[in-house]
Amino acid sequence: MLGGACHPMDNRIKYRRPIIALLVGAASLAAPPALADDLRDALAAAYRTNPTLQSARAQQRAVDETVPIARSQGLPSLGGTANYTETLKASDNNRILGTVVGPDRVLDLAATASYPVFSGGAVRNAINAAETRVKAGQSDLRAVETGVFSQTTAAYMDVIQNEAIVGLNRNNVQVLEVNLKATRDRYEIGDLTRTDVAQSEARLAQARSDLRAAEANLAGSRETYIRFVGKPAADLQPPPPLPGMPATPEEAVAMALDNNPDLRAEHERSRAARFDSKAAGAGRLPKVSVFVSADRTDYLGSYTSNPAGFPLVTDKPITAQAGVRATIPLFQGGLPAAQQRQAQARESAQLESEIATEREVIATVRTYYQQWQAAQAIIVSSQAAVDAAALGLEGVRAENSVGTRTILDILNAEQELLNAQTVLVRARRNAYVAGFNLIAAMGRATAADLGLDAGPLYDPQANYKRVRGMIFDWEHDPSPIARSTRTVDTPAQTGTISDAAAEALRPAGMQTMSGQTRSGGK
């Protein structure tokens, strides 16, 4: 389950001094701890309320109905007719010795039952094709589920990442504000030049611009989170370790070839297309059915007596018939052959589509594996860059105090540290998202695979078993209702974070030019 296995890099990659819990601090917003969400909560909420996933489940229920529809063509059918006729004016040809002979009104009741005995395999193959497409649809549903989970995970990590970046930029603005004040103070006493002040002002203006852009990105990521999860992000916690990560790309590909839902769906559709080709060829074969019919006519006492003495007609005659009906196509203008060739061409196209999907899955898995590995390597190098940048900033400040470094040198060193910290935050986000996308492509990211606590899991097979044997014409489900949650009542998101979150994100080394923190401590 999610969080049940250790990430391969957990024991090698540690948060060190220059970055104190960047992602943890970004998640520590003003919301009370009781409202905190972790990734499992977000995925469980998406599983229950995401409209894309709910729509896919409804679509699969529609696919389930193709089986009883196909089966109905091979089951008995019963129909009846009722006709009531009132004679308004009888024909003169019906007159005998001047008297109209015939009923004034007739009620005719008829019923016919038929049962197809042989249809050339069309019904059997249609049922097989429908059942196979149900399996394909169930795999499609798994693909939608893992896709929603991948998008939700990316949205979750984007919020954490952008909160961290906002915190870093906010701290940077605060540091530069104190630096500018110190620069102006030193300018007033003649220790610095107007150029030093202008450089500090320019760097502060750029930092404020970067902070505003980071806040806009954070607001957008929070709105995306609401789109997938259905509620605002509340004090997001660091994600758990990813489960079942492969050791090699070959291992990842092997798992994907066995479990990837898209590939499984394409394979089942190839099997269904084979049944379609067999069913199409049945159009040239005979069709045999047996039938029974009964007819009851009631003249309602209106049959006129025969003045010529002919035998009277029974007022309520009943007839019954039974027989065998064979339909033997002799010539149809090439229709059945064309239908079979068409089905075979579609089968061929589907076989090629299956191979194309296999290629895509292989390429996707290998790509995600490399992205995951690369992001982990970037984490290591970025952490080293942060450490070096923090140490360099301390050295530049010390050298400035003895006059060997300029204000611009300090500003550049502070910017280098901020850039390195930002790269590290993004690398951690990219590593987790790439890792989750990898296990999703391997077919290992469904709610059952992740062990989500989302209540009873949706079982598409249960609905299929429920409907596949239904044969009564008046069986139907309750009127549909929307099961996903609307987000119209959620407040518009902003890009701000709490003071506590910003303070938690303040890394060592982000100090003023004079070597003091914003609070004035040494």
Side-chain angles (χ1 to χ4, degrees), residues 351-362:
L351 291 173
E352 301 300 336
S353 179
E354 181 180 352
I355 294 177
T357 300
E358 181 183 76
R359 287 186 179 186
E360 181 179 359
V361 167
I362 293 172

Side-chain angles (χ1 to χ4, degrees), residues 365-376:
V365 168
R366 289 173 177 170
T367 299
Y368 283 144
Y369 185 89
Q370 294 301 327
Q371 289 177 352
W372 174 57
Q373 290 288 315
Q376 292 181 98

Side-chain angles (χ1 to χ4, degrees), residues 62-104:
V63 174
D64 292 342
E65 299 296 342
T66 61
V67 173
I69 290 173
R71 182 175 285 114
S72 67
Q73 302 302 309
L75 296 178
S77 62
L78 176 64
T81 60
N83 292 302
Y84 174 79
T85 304
E86 181 79 24
T87 302
L88 301 180
K89 182 180 184 305
S91 172
D92 290 341
N93 292 332
N94 291 342
R95 294 178 181 274
I96 299 177
L97 300 178
T99 301
V100 175
V101 178
D104 293 330

Side-chain angles (χ1 to χ4, degrees), residues 61 476-483:
R61 292 195 293 272
H476 62 85
D477 290 339
S479 298
I481 58 173
R483 299 182 182 275

Side-chain angles (χ1 to χ4, degrees), residues 401-420:
S401 65
V402 297
T404 59
R405 289 282 187 169
T406 66
I407 295 298
L408 183 60
D409 292 330
I410 294 179
L411 295 175
N412 288 339
E414 289 173 340
Q415 186 63 44
E416 287 177 3
L417 176 58
L418 174 63
N419 292 343

Side-chain angles (χ1 to χ4, degrees), residues 510-521:
M510 290 291 285
Q511 298 175 321
T512 64
M513 178 182 59
S514 61
Q516 297 178 336
T517 65
R518 185 168 176 263
S519 61

Side-chain angles (χ1 to χ4, degrees), residues 298-313:
D298 191 340
Y299 297 113
L300 304 176
S302 68
Y303 210 101
T304 305
S305 298
N306 186 350
F310 294 110
L312 294 177
V313 176

